[in-house]
Amino acid sequence: MTDRDDPEEFRALAHAVVDWIADYRAGIAAHPVQPHVEPGSVRSALAPLPEQPQPFDALLDELDRVVVPASTHWQSPSYFAYFPANASLHSLLGDMLSGGLGAQGMLWATSPACTEVEQHLMDELAAAMALPDAFTFAGGGGGTIEDSASSSALVALLAALHRANPGWIADGVRGDERVYVSAETHSSLAKAVRVAGLGARALVVVDAAPGGHALSPDALDAAMAADVAAGLRPVLVCPTIGTTATGTVDPVRRIAEVARRHGAWVHVDAAWAGVAALCPEHRALLDGVELVDSFCTDAHKWLLTAFDASLLWVRDAAALPAALSLTPEYLRNAASESGAVVDYRDWQVPLGRRFRALKLRAVVHARGLEGLRAHLRGHVALAAELERWVAADPRFELAVPRSLALLCLRVRTGRGPEEDDAATRQVMERVNASGSAFLSHAVVDGRYVIRVAIGAVTTGPEHVEALWQRLQAEAAAV
């Protein structure tokens, strides 16, 4: 071991690390998807920090002994909980290249390549998803890679606040701002309202349309009109394309038309489902997006790219810098002053930023757009097959219609809703306890449901079939 970076030492150690990752991924299906550990057990198994350098093999041994047995294996082909977290091996290689370059891409001047590769990638992806030209840099807008959809929502809200009242930066919020969501909108919007200092009263939960879970444009119009009449200011509306609980798609076009009449910013949260627009047959999901101000979807959920990589596009390239730019003297430089470059530090909350575009570019390079479409289509087809099995089994029912690769189902006991809910919970808990798969739940219309989100990188027909057989076996036992 040396006291400075040694490329030859790195070469040897990197081979060991790559071998460890490859072996872990090759054997991941043999691990229980969710570990059975007690709180504090991991910390108690870790040794104190060493005073002297240690062999790198000792760290790999600690991973095998302590970390892997206590990990939830998000990359397991039998992971069906929450939404997928696609950390494909190609994206890991891109991440390694990014880390190897060690760029700090806060300004164009600090890494021109970091900035312009990201600009190019975001414009190309906008075209591949058939987003309006207005969301590209050539069209007056542009895209950036944030760390998460939560950050995307926050910066969109800050831009909306600035547009509604440019004086808020100096004077602070006035207390009359209102943000409109549905009951199924992701909690990140409520957190963004909190972080922005608007207070809980600023968040307005709009009723769903009758007979469904989508945000009602009519109820939104009534809520916004009432607020305006009361002297309040509509600032932002957030329709969702693919809600977390049920995969519901809000009617973006009608919502945007209502919001624009009242002068509110429209931010679309399509964190999970938006990437499906790479497939022409799913582009109806984006109906009305040409009317909105910002659009977000996550590459790290269903597009084979390791966390973190949230894709955010805005119609007005000046909107985020107007709300977020602060320029101390030590950041001033000729390129920024010229106005000819993009400084991505003005498109996010942190100053510093990583070269995230490389890992996504590595994925597209390795798979091609057709490969990405095949990845998405394969999971949708598996979900459709599972949907048919559920419909044919009287012990189960779908709680809501399937949404792409997400199903919400419950157990039917024939003994009433309370018994059905208890059985559904018990079935899910028994599946998870078995280690054979990992599921999560939601409460839909007051009823407990099992969510099956198909989307792990290596999930195939055999894994979905094994899950279904396990669900059937557990349902027969309750």
Side-chain angles (χ1 to χ4, degrees):
M1 301 289 287
T2 65
D3 61 355
R4 65 183 67 185
D5 279 350
D6 178 352
E8 291 310 313
E9 180 190 43
F10 170 77
R11 192 188 309 277
L13 296 179
H15 280 295
V17 169
V18 169
D19 284 344
W20 187 93
I21 294 171
D23 289 343
Y24 166 69
R25 289 296 185 89
I28 195 171
H31 295 289
V33 185
Q34 196 175 32
H36 299 292
V37 293
E38 296 297 323
S41 61
V42 174
R43 294 190 64 179
S44 65
L46 295 172
L49 296 180
E51 291 290 344
Q52 302 299 324
Q54 301 295 308
F56 200 81
D57 287 349
L59 178 61
L60 297 181
D61 178 66
E62 187 173 72
L63 289 176
D64 289 329
R65 288 186 300 101
V66 181
V67 175
V68 171
S71 292
T72 297
H73 299 286
W74 284 68
Q75 305 309 312
S76 169
S78 297
Y79 181 96
F80 300 102
Y82 306 111
F83 279 130
N86 285 181
S88 72
L89 295 175
H90 288 120
S91 74
L92 300 189
L93 294 175
D95 232 355
M96 187 181 297
L97 293 171
S98 174
L101 285 170
Q104 217 291 28
M106 57 187 178
L107 302 169
W108 181 91
T110 62
S111 184
C114 182
T115 298
E116 294 195 20
V117 169
E118 187 165 330
Q119 288 182 273
H120 178 75
L121 178 66
M122 294 301 289
D123 274 2
E124 291 288 305
L125 285 173
M129 294 172 61
L131 289 176
D133 288 342
F135 286 105
T136 66
F137 286 98
T144 184
I145 306 178
E146 303 278 343
D147 59 3
S148 64
S150 299
S151 291
S152 295
L154 176 59
V155 297
L157 176 57
L158 297 176
L161 285 166
H162 181 71
R163 190 176 74 176
N165 175 26
W168 83 278
I169 292 177
D171 303 330
V173 297
R174 300 192 328 200
D176 59 358
E177 301 87 358
R178 292 297 180 267
V179 174
Y180 302 86
V181 299
S182 78
E184 289 215 5
T185 301
H186 194 271
S187 60
S188 60
L189 269 295
K191 181 174 284 190
V193 167
R194 182 181 298 182
V195 172
L198 302 185
R201 66 188 178 282
L203 194 69
V204 180
V205 180
V206 178
D207 290 341
H213 303 94
L215 191 153
S216 165
D218 292 336
L220 174 67
D221 198 9
M224 297 180 85
D227 284 344
V228 170
L232 304 174
R233 287 185 304 159
V235 169
L236 180 141
V237 180
C238 182
T240 304
I241 296 176
T243 62
T244 299
T246 63
T248 293
V249 177
D250 290 332
V252 172
R253 179 175 299 281
R254 290 190 59 205
I255 289 170
E257 290 169 348
V258 170
R260 292 177 79 166
R261 286 202 300 272
H262 294 287
W265 181 289
V266 183
H267 172 68
V268 173
D269 177 5
W272 163 64
V275 296
L278 284 172
C279 304
E281 67 270 25
H282 297 310
R283 286 182 185 155
L285 290 168
L286 305 191
D287 179 53
V289 166
E290 71 275 10
L291 302 178
V292 311
D293 298 284
S294 54
F295 174 87
C296 166
T297 189
D298 288 348
H300 59 242
K301 281 189 170 67
W302 200 14
L303 206 61
L304 294 168
T305 304
F307 187 85
D308 52 3
S310 181
L311 313 179
L312 172 66
W313 285 271
V314 291
R315 173 181 298 279
D316 179 3
L320 296 178
L324 297 170
S325 180
L326 287 169
T327 308
E329 183 60 35
Y330 53 79
L331 292 181
R332 295 191 182 279
N333 63 88
S336 297
E337 298 294 330
S338 74
V341 301
V342 168
D343 288 332
Y344 272 132
R345 56 114 187 185
D346 295 330
W347 293 53
Q348 60 180 33
V349 173
L351 171 63
R353 65 194 328 269
R354 299 187 298 116
F355 200 161
R356 294 189 183 98
L358 269 186
K359 61 185 172 185
L360 180 50
R361 188 166 177 82
V363 168
V364 181
H365 181 83
R367 297 290 186 113
L369 292 174
E370 272 303 315
L372 297 181
R373 294 184 189 106
H375 170 73
L376 298 167
R377 287 168 174 153
H379 291 148
V380 173
L382 290 175
E385 181 71 4
L386 179 57
E387 179 184 34
R388 288 189 286 272
W389 295 340
V390 171
D393 191 324
R395 292 171 297 183
F396 291 88
E397 65 181 0
L398 289 175
V400 293
R402 174 178 60 85
S403 178
L404 297 172
L406 172 66
L407 286 88
C408 295
L409 55 89
R410 65 169 65 97
V411 176
R412 293 198 296 193
T413 65
R415 300 190 294 270
E418 290 187 7
E419 290 288 339
D420 288 355
D421 285 358
T424 301
R425 181 192 293 268
Q426 188 175 0
V427 165
M428 190 192 78
E429 290 175 348
R430 291 172 67 150
V431 170
N432 289 347
S434 75
S436 64
F438 182 34
L439 301 163
S440 59
H441 77 281
V443 175
V444 179
D445 298 326
R447 302 286 307 282
Y448 195 95
V449 303
I450 297 171
R451 295 173 68 263
V452 181
I454 299 173
V457 174
T458 56
T459 297
E462 67 276 23
H463 305 107
V464 176
E465 184 173 358
L467 169 67
W468 177 237
Q469 291 174 352
R470 172 68 70 167
L471 285 167
Q472 288 181 305
E474 299 298 352
V478 298

